[in-house]
Amino acid sequence: MPTSGFVRSTGVFMMAPSAAAKTPITIRLCGPRGFCAGVDRAIQIVVLALKEFGAPVYVRHEIVHNRYVVEGLEAKGAIFVEELDEIPPEHRKQPVVFSAHGVPKSVPADADERNLFYLDATCPLVSKVHKQAMRHHRMGRHVVLIGHAGHPEVIGTMGQLPEGAVSLVETVEDADVYMPPDADNLGFVTQTTLSVDDTAGVIKRLHERFPNLTAPAADSICYATTNRQEAVKQAAPGCDLFLVVGAPNSSNSKRLVEVALRAGAKKAVLVQRASEIDWATVGDISMVGLSAGASAPEVIVNEIIEAFRERYDATVELADTVEENEHFLVNRELRHVELTGADMAFVNGE
């Protein structure tokens, strides 16, 4: 449900026992934060596949952009590969999982040719973008994809259509110089993890240059990206330091850093673990913002809060915007397998 303002935490993040020498600070904790439904589903798919079929379970590319998650799954028996030809012949009856970012059509086709058993963990919202792009193509439109070059989701989306059917536009500057094959038959889609504000500027410029540009049937930027950015916008004003938990290759996490700075945080930093915080440069602070990208586990958020409590008299204040209750079903082949809290404790905590 929508909420407003900040509320003092009454849960597990209550004020730690203070020492007289500790400087009092407030940690403004964003909500929603961390795992979205698509990331949660992808991790569950690997965990359930390991329970059902035993180790090893192969995963093509990082299942999500978070090293902590990848290492946790490796400890359970997952093996991460870049390409399917890395799977040894003796393991070709074991499952291979495709990442949450989606894959080009050539990847499942390659798996079929190799007679591999695969489980597609593509986020349903990314799959929706694939379908929107294919619909534009069926309607005779050239597809403009707004996104970041080289990102796995962009590679997967462009790989849904024949070569040359999709043009990538990254910035307003790109939109200024883009020359389409047919200016009157264009349709656009976007990467799901972009900055809402940045993307709006690119779309506006494209519409100015190409009035007949057709939008997708539904917004491509996913609800989780939007919700996390809105929570950061609310929390950032007045923050001396804003920390975003996420990986350097996580698009949505990097966008949260940018959003925090634009919304008024004096400083914003992306960190993967508490150990990456440079305490020597933190300086004189009284208000710290804290959020986590959609592929960052809650256990690291808790780890960072505890790291601050070791050094400061820290009180946590909740900056909640909306409550997320989306849930995506795992693959049919895995729905009968029980998933317990213990199975996911490595990312969710005890």
Side-chain angles (χ1 to χ4, degrees), residues 247-262:
N249 59 341
S250 168
S251 174
N252 78 89
S253 299
K254 291 194 291 186
R255 302 293 82 74
L256 292 179
V257 174
E258 297 167 359
V259 169
L261 290 170
R262 289 177 184 171

Side-chain angles (χ1 to χ4, degrees), residues 57-79:
V57 166
Y58 287 86
V59 184
R60 183 184 179 274
H61 294 177
E62 290 187 337
I63 186 68
V64 296
H65 280 159
N66 189 275
R67 193 65 219 165
Y68 181 94
V69 172
V70 168
E71 290 174 355
L73 291 172
E74 286 176 333
K76 290 177 175 288
I79 297 176

Side-chain angles (χ1 to χ4, degrees), residues 6 17 36 41 76 94 96 120 128 171 173 201-202 216 291 344:
F6 307 123
C36 63
R41 172 182 179 268
K76 290 177 175 288
Q94 291 296 106
V96 56
D120 191 352
K128 182 180 77 171
T171 64
E173 290 73 22
V202 176
S291 186
M344 299 293 287

Side-chain angles (χ1 to χ4, degrees), residues 149-169:
H151 190 279
E153 184 184 326
V154 166
I155 293 169
T157 300
M158 296 185 76
Q160 302 305 306
L161 295 175
E163 187 173 353
V166 184
S167 296
L168 181 64
V169 172

